[in-house]
Amino acid sequence: MPAALSLALGLWGVRRGGSMWRDEAVTYDMAWRSPGELWQTLEQIDAVHGLYYLLLHGLFRISGEVDPLLVLRLPSVLATAAAAGTVALLGSRLAGPRAGLSAGVVFALLPPVQRYAQEGRSYALVCALVVWASYLLIRAVERPTPRAWTGYAAVMLTACLLHEFAVLALAAHLVALPRAVRRAWVLAALAVCAGLAPLVVLSTRQSAQVAGIGGLGADAVAGFVGVTVLGVACAALLRGVRRSRSRVGLTALALPLLALPAFLLIALTPLKPLYVDRYVLYGHAGTALLVGATLERLVRAGGRIRTVAVIAVGAAVLALLPVTLQLRTPPSRTDDVAAVAEAVRAEGGDADGVLYMPSRRRVWSLPEPGSVRGLRDLALDRGPAASHTLYGTEVAAPVIRSRMLATTRIVALRDPAGQPVDQNDREAAKRRVLAAYFVECRTRHVLGARITVYARRGLC
């Protein structure tokens, strides 16, 4: 039932009105590159997502005329459904069938889970694999055979190869284990780390890619603290409850899985900011296990406690409904590539050239290159595929300046007002020339972007 519920939620509104946001646009572009182009790109950037891009490349090659948005997001939908079912199995093994059922349903309803169930990125697949590995870990503890530990290590390694921060789940698994089996776990963990090492070495050389991750914001801290407090409260209510013959208790696994991976990323912030909640999406499996088992215990208590629990569950589901609806709309994401393309077609018809400010916003045009057809990319040196990069390479600042001065009318694709601007020479040259020689004719604001038409003075 949790898997079916998650599948239904994932398919409901999966197209989000035909919108796609910038990270999904990167996935879409990378998935359509040839294996050779993909490999050459991954040698320079985004190696951490390489296995996922290869998977999507295969899907797009065999999908034919199927809706590209569905192909892009279907792996995440299916992975989330599998994760919900596995959470239910895990909860059933650790705390009984009803607790497992409740945990699986809670997992399917969690807003972050619903969000990434409908995104063309790797996080839902990583989450599903970590949950599966957690289930295999419990089985290996109960029947510690080489085959069981090999299966656990293989699934964990696959999760790590899809996104290397899945390796943080190993720390949560270690904390949950009885001492008697830790030696076998260490061997499995060493195998995972050895298999992951080449990707770590390669991605470390590409660390500039995550330079844009800022320090911890108040929302991130509040989110982590709130979820952790909820988990600790549930663990306190479940203290002393043990209805499973497993050598690992539900709380012993779920609470570290919820808190430890996120805490480790947060703790690294003074050295290098790396915390993004989606990197540890799998921690919500711990949240679901704790909340599900607590709800089952309260309902089983009977009397007023049961009544209050049922009312609280109903109120929570009603409170989640607006969030659930909003997640299936374009404004739930940072920007909307389709809206940007439509605005360029509407506003840039009389323009001669196009500028991306900053250059990484060239990603807005990758899924729909027809939106800028006929417009010269005034800063472009080599396109993304040709340069084996995500956003293409640009010519030197003096060349950008001369190209702009040879142009009468320019459409600029910019971030919303108030966003920090890049300070490199190329971006500074774009801003200086526009300010000195052009005037702003009109601007259309769309989700996460501004589309501005500039013309030489007196030609608006």
Side-chain angles (χ1 to χ4, degrees):
M1 180 179 138
L5 173 63
S6 178
L7 182 62
L9 289 172
L11 292 175
W12 169 35
V14 69
R15 298 191 75 258
R16 291 203 307 274
S19 66
M20 179 191 300
W21 79 291
R22 65 178 71 144
D23 280 13
E24 290 183 303
V26 170
T27 299
Y28 184 82
D29 180 64
M30 293 288 279
W32 278 109
R33 298 188 190 186
S34 70
E37 291 173 333
L38 188 56
W39 177 253
Q40 289 176 298
T41 302
L42 297 175
E43 288 181 322
Q44 299 186 56
I45 196 167
D46 226 16
V48 67
H49 294 297
L51 181 59
Y52 177 70
Y53 293 148
L54 188 61
L55 169 64
L56 266 292
H57 173 80
L59 287 178
F60 276 111
R61 287 292 296 270
I62 65 175
S63 62
E65 300 299 319
V66 179
D67 181 354
L69 283 177
L70 181 60
V71 177
L72 183 69
R73 295 172 184 154
L74 189 58
S76 295
V77 173
L78 297 176
T80 305
T86 310
V87 166
L89 290 174
L90 190 54
S92 179
R93 202 171 193 103
L94 296 177
R98 288 183 296 182
L101 177 62
S102 179
V105 171
V106 169
F107 179 82
L109 292 175
L110 289 174
V113 172
Q114 291 194 58
R115 170 176 177 150
Y116 293 105
Q118 295 187 331
E119 285 208 358
R121 298 297 281 173
S122 64
Y123 309 111
L125 277 74
V126 173
C127 179
L129 287 166
V130 171
V131 174
W132 184 17
S134 301
Y135 180 78
L136 293 176
L137 176 69
I138 300 305
R139 292 188 61 181
V141 170
E142 294 169 0
R143 295 184 179 180
T145 64
R147 181 177 180 181
W149 286 110
T150 300
Y152 163 74
V155 175
M156 269 304 305
L157 177 58
T158 306
C160 294
L161 293 176
L162 278 169
H163 196 285
E164 60 192 38
F165 285 162
V167 75
L168 299 174
L170 288 175
H173 290 165
L174 174 61
V175 171
L177 289 178
R179 290 187 178 181
V181 297
R182 287 185 178 177
R183 183 176 179 180
W185 175 88
V186 167
L187 294 176
L190 287 174
V192 172
C193 293
L196 180 61
L199 176 60
V200 172
V201 171
L202 181 57
S203 63
T204 300
R205 297 204 301 263
Q206 302 172 358
S207 60
Q209 185 177 348
V210 293
I213 299 177
L216 287 173
D219 290 345
V221 173
F224 171 72
V225 171
V227 172
T228 302
V229 168
L230 173 64
V232 171
C234 291
L237 289 171
L238 293 170
R239 185 179 299 169
V241 177
R242 187 179 180 88
R243 297 191 310 278
S244 169
R245 289 178 292 178
S246 172
R247 296 169 64 188
V248 178
L250 182 139
T251 299
L253 174 66
L255 192 55
L257 189 60
L258 179 161
L260 193 52
F263 173 77
L264 291 173
L265 278 184
I266 289 172
L268 289 172
T269 297
L271 300 175
K272 186 172 184 62
L274 290 172
Y275 178 73
V276 181
D277 58 356
R278 59 182 177 267
Y279 292 169
V280 288
L281 179 67
Y282 52 82
H284 287 295
T287 308
L289 288 168
L290 289 165
V291 173
T294 300
L295 290 175
E296 189 272 339
R297 185 184 184 189
L298 294 176
V299 170
R300 187 170 50 86
R304 290 184 178 179
I305 295 178
R306 171 193 246 169
T307 302
V308 171
V310 171
I311 292 173
V313 170
V317 172
L318 289 176
L320 284 174
L321 185 57
V323 179
T324 298
L325 293 171
Q326 195 265 346
L327 285 172
R328 286 154 179 81
T329 64
S332 65
R333 273 39 175 203
T334 303
D335 53 17
D336 183 353
V337 171
V340 171
E342 181 181 348
V344 171
R345 290 191 186 97
E347 300 294 336
D350 56 352
D352 308 305
V354 60
L355 278 178
Y356 298 93
M357 304 172 63
S359 61
R360 58 183 174 274
R361 297 299 174 249
R362 191 170 282 105
V363 70
W364 283 333
S365 299
L366 296 183
E368 297 190 47
S371 64
V372 292
R373 186 168 291 123
L375 299 176
R376 183 186 184 189
D377 191 332
L378 298 174
L380 185 66
D381 180 19
R382 301 176 69 198
S387 61
H388 311 304
T389 62
L390 297 184
Y391 314 118
T393 56
E394 295 195 341
V395 295
V399 180
I400 294 175
R401 184 179 187 276
S402 63
R403 288 181 181 180
M404 292 176 67
L405 292 177
T407 305
T408 303
R409 198 176 295 267
I410 297 171
V411 57
L413 280 63
R414 303 184 292 164
D415 283 337
Q419 294 294 311
V421 295
D422 289 12
Q423 298 300 329
N424 63 68
D425 292 344
R426 293 177 176 87
E427 297 301 328
K430 296 173 189 176
R431 294 192 296 270
R432 283 197 301 266
V433 174
L434 287 176
Y437 298 98
F438 290 80
V439 293
E440 182 176 326
C441 298
R442 58 187 180 272
T443 295
R444 176 176 292 202
H445 298 266
V446 299
L447 178 64
R450 289 178 293 168
I451 314 302
T452 302
V453 176
Y454 290 91
R456 300 299 289 268
R457 297 185 182 278
L459 296 179
C460 268

